[in-house]
Amino acid sequence: MTRNFRVMEAFSGIGSQALALKIIFENSELLKSLGFDIDNLKLKIVGTSEWYISAILAYDEIHNGPKKDFEGYDELLEKKEEMLKHISNFNLSNDSKEPYEHSKIEKWNVHDTRDLYISLIRSKNYGSITDIKGKDLPKIDLLTWSAPCQDLSLAGKGLGIEQGVESRSALLWHILRVLDEMGKSKPKVLLMENVEGLITKKHYKDWVSVEKILEDMGYRNTLIRLNSKDFGVPHSRDRVFCISILVDDKSLVGKGNIQVQKKASYTPLREFIGVDNEDFIEEYKLSIPNNTPGRRDYIAKSTHLNHRDYCDTITTSVDRRDNSGIFFCDKNGMLVDDIDINVHQNGKKSCFRFLTSREMLTLMGFKSEHYDLLKNIDLKDSQINVLSGNSIVVPVLEAIFIEIIKEVIPKKRVQKPQGVNVVYKRKYTKRAVQTVVTENVSNGNNRVAKIVATKTKKMKARVLDAIKKLKDEGLKINA
């Protein structure tokens, strides 16, 4: 019987969680080594929650394929009113910050309307977390959530997550509301991700109150801080995760102790992103800012990446003082490793470039071809940068999900056989006896297997000879 591992992504973004889980579930050798029944274990994304239009379109393109594959794709061009009616059920945003008026969507051309309509349906989007009711959700094994970090990050306004505060980070209280509304149908596991600001002195007391509510609901919580450099990616990105496991025994709630396995090393930055690729020269050029006094100030305040094995934290914008690092380069974006850089060597363009949008997405654990997919649906680089900066590094999630899976998914029972009985009744050949005995043993059948053979002396001797050889091979046989 197939067992579905059902997942819902709240604040889903471009689906780093879904990508990490797909990588794991497509790795049959890994699952087999962990003791799982790979033939009867399937991943099923049962829902998402997202209101940022660019993220909704991108998620669908990355995880569900070309929109033209949607059934009735061409016919939808004649059904704009029907599509708009469906879209009107969602509160959406065009900048990830403020609501977007539906009257503006009504003015979109039919092709853009169709793209959004298809994306909402295929991604099983339940809308903004503020509008979701727990009773309306399907059965969920794992709920991932990652409320906006702006009001917790060191670069943000510091409004925090205190209940009642009007901040985007405080949207996490809606997760608790939804969980409460789900009653006895709560997910077995929750995974929260946010910036390290969550556990600073200023905000930690508010997080403790969140943990206390989760404990009252029956969850055992493991709070861990992880850096993506420890998971094979040359990207220094500290993030806080909380793994919450629903337990039946109330005495087991409280602090958990799940250990996430790290990697011993990471691939150096230049090799990881593949710098100086002539196919991407136009992308390099776009990442070179103008040679202005303000940009020249960046040189002293930015991390120089030419001789560094990793970049700093990727954010939603590159052209800023607290960027993820700069590469000194020529006018085509090819790296220049000379120590003595002439700041005017590229004329009106700066002597350095930022990470490109493709490189940023790659350093978040996505593939280079994912960038091409997003460009194919006409997303701007600035939009892709926002999506990357708000995402979660995929290899980090892979490591976390492996531990979660080990905790909550039953493993395949494999028991050694207790022995094999041979009963002499009917005519069986020596080869048949060997085959049946061997199959029962290799299948891990712990029941006593009855193997039928003949009573005649001639055949009995052949059967006994076969049994002796099997015993010599170390098989326990009761004859």
Side-chain angles (χ1 to χ4, degrees):
M1 180 178 178
T2 300
R3 187 193 190 288
N4 289 322
F5 186 59
R6 298 156 296 199
V7 180
M8 178 166 180
E9 301 165 90
F11 307 98
S12 53
I14 53 177
S16 53
Q17 301 94 330
L19 180 58
L21 284 164
K22 287 175 182 177
I23 291 172
I24 293 172
F25 275 78
E26 289 172 0
N27 189 341
S28 58
E29 289 303 315
L30 170 63
L31 293 175
K32 191 175 180 180
S33 70
L34 295 174
F36 294 110
D37 184 358
I38 59 175
D39 295 325
N40 296 305
L41 180 61
K42 305 297 180 186
L43 172 67
K44 186 175 183 179
I45 306 298
V46 297
T48 65
S49 171
E50 180 57 65
W51 82 324
Y52 181 31
I53 293 173
S54 293
I56 294 169
L57 294 169
Y59 183 106
D60 180 60
E61 193 70 17
I62 290 173
H63 299 284
N64 299 320
K67 292 173 176 56
K68 63 181 178 59
D69 293 341
F70 186 78
E71 186 177 355
Y73 178 78
D74 293 327
E75 289 79 1
L76 287 175
L77 294 177
E78 306 298 326
K79 300 178 180 180
K80 184 176 181 179
E81 290 304 316
E82 181 181 322
M83 293 190 290
L84 286 173
K85 183 177 180 180
H86 179 78
I87 294 171
S88 68
N89 294 317
F90 298 84
N91 285 319
L92 302 169
S93 173
N94 204 36
D95 62 1
S96 79
K97 300 174 183 178
E98 300 295 334
Y100 190 60
E101 297 176 13
H102 279 281
S103 59
K104 294 181 179 179
I105 297 178
E106 292 173 357
K107 297 177 182 178
W108 286 8
N109 65 58
V110 67
H111 294 89
D112 291 342
T113 303
R114 178 177 61 181
D115 287 348
L116 179 56
Y117 172 79
I118 291 173
S119 297
L120 288 167
I121 291 177
R122 292 202 304 185
S123 299
K124 303 180 181 69
N125 197 318
Y126 280 79
S128 167
I129 191 64
T130 59
D131 300 324
I132 292 176
K133 306 299 180 186
K135 63 181 179 61
D136 297 329
L137 295 178
K139 184 70 176 176
I140 301 169
D141 294 309
L142 167 64
L143 173 65
T144 64
W145 55 293
S146 178
C149 66
Q150 290 88 345
D151 299 299
L152 291 169
S153 68
L154 299 178
K157 296 181 179 180
L159 296 177
I161 60 170
E162 184 179 356
Q163 191 168 17
V165 171
E166 291 295 326
S167 77
R168 282 181 284 166
S169 295
L171 287 171
L172 64 82
W173 292 96
H174 283 283
I175 290 289
L176 300 178
R177 171 187 59 77
V178 169
L179 289 172
D180 183 58
E181 293 171 353
M182 294 180 77
K184 294 182 179 180
S185 298
K186 292 181 184 66
K188 295 179 181 178
V189 194
L190 313 174
L191 177 65
M192 183 282 306
E193 177 269 355
N194 220 302
V195 294
E196 66 269 31
L198 181 69
I199 55 176
T200 58
K201 183 178 180 180
K202 182 176 182 179
H203 302 304
Y204 183 62
K205 61 178 175 41
D206 293 323
W207 171 251
V208 170
S209 64
V210 173
E211 278 193 326
K212 179 61 171 62
I213 294 174
L214 290 172
E215 289 175 12
D216 291 342
M217 289 182 179
Y219 287 98
R220 183 178 70 246
N221 305 302
T222 298
L223 191 67
I224 47 178
R225 181 175 178 173
L226 302 172
N227 190 299
S228 49
K229 276 200 307 174
D230 296 322
F231 297 88
V233 182
H235 174 192
S236 182
R237 188 182 185 88
D238 268 320
R239 288 296 182 264
V240 175
F241 298 86
C242 182
I243 304 170
S244 303
I245 307 289
L246 190 63
V247 293
D248 296 326
D249 187 345
K250 294 295 183 182
S251 66
L252 297 178
V253 301
K255 300 294 183 183
N257 189 34
I258 295 175
Q259 300 295 316
V260 177
Q261 298 299 312
K262 300 178 181 180
K263 291 187 177 180
S265 61
Y266 56 84
T267 304
L269 178 63
R270 292 171 69 145
E271 180 183 346
F272 190 90
I273 60 177
V275 298
D276 293 350
N277 187 327
E278 293 187 356
D279 292 337
F280 302 145
I281 285 180
E282 293 307 314
E283 294 174 25
Y284 296 153
K285 288 181 178 179
L286 290 174
S287 68
I288 304 174
N290 291 327
N291 187 13
T292 64
R295 266 50 172 275
R296 289 195 288 273
D297 286 345
Y298 287 6
I299 296 174
K301 298 176 181 179
S302 299
T303 298
H304 300 172
L305 299 177
N306 291 60
H307 301 287
R308 198 172 189 231
D309 283 344
Y310 64 90
C311 69
D312 294 333
T313 301
I314 287 173
T315 60
T316 56
S317 174
V318 293
D319 195 353
R320 53 195 284 180
R321 285 182 173 81
D322 55 338
N323 54 62
S324 50
I326 59 175
F327 284 114
F328 291 109
C329 64
D330 62 21
K331 62 182 181 180
N332 289 321
M334 297 297 192
L335 303 197
V336 175
D337 293 333
D338 294 340
I339 295 176
D340 298 322
I341 293 293
N342 176 2
V343 296
H344 298 294
Q345 65 185 22
N346 294 332
K348 294 183 179 180
K349 285 294 185 178
S350 292
C351 62
F352 65 87
R353 73 171 179 86
F354 300 111
L355 290 170
T356 68
S357 299
R358 183 189 298 273
E359 291 168 341
M360 290 172 65
L361 197 61
T362 303
L363 286 162
M364 293 304 297
F366 287 80
K367 302 297 183 184
S368 179
E369 51 264 34
H370 289 139
Y371 172 79
D372 296 322
L373 289 176
L374 300 187
K375 294 301 291 184
N376 287 342
I377 59 172
D378 297 326
L379 287 188
K380 300 176 182 177
D381 280 352
S382 59
Q383 293 171 311
I384 296 174
N385 294 346
V386 170
L387 297 174
S388 295
N390 285 333
S391 190
I392 310 172
V393 178
V394 174
V396 178
L397 288 170
E398 288 179 56
I400 295 173
F401 287 142
I402 286 173
E403 300 307 319
I404 287 176
I405 290 170
K406 287 159 62 176
E407 285 275 333
V408 301
I409 298 181
K411 295 183 179 180
K412 181 179 180 180
R413 294 182 179 180
V414 179
Q415 295 177 306
K416 295 182 179 179
Q418 301 301 310
V420 178
N421 281 349
V422 178
V423 181
Y424 305 103
K425 284 187 179 180
R426 293 183 181 176
K427 199 169 186 178
Y428 259 61
T429 65
K430 172 182 173 182
R431 182 178 178 184
V433 174
Q434 287 178 310
T435 302
V436 177
V437 172
T438 304
E439 284 180 351
N440 275 276
V441 172
S442 64
N443 287 338
N445 189 344
N446 67 329
R447 297 178 180 178
V448 176
K450 293 184 178 181
I451 301 174
V452 184
T454 180
K455 280 187 176 181
T456 65
K457 290 182 179 180
K458 183 177 179 181
M459 290 304 298
K460 182 177 180 180
R462 294 174 64 182
V463 169
L464 289 175
D465 181 52
I467 290 172
K468 181 179 181 302
K469 289 184 178 181
L470 292 172
K471 281 185 176 181
D472 292 342
E473 294 173 11
L475 297 177
K476 182 180 179 182
I477 298 177
N478 303 317

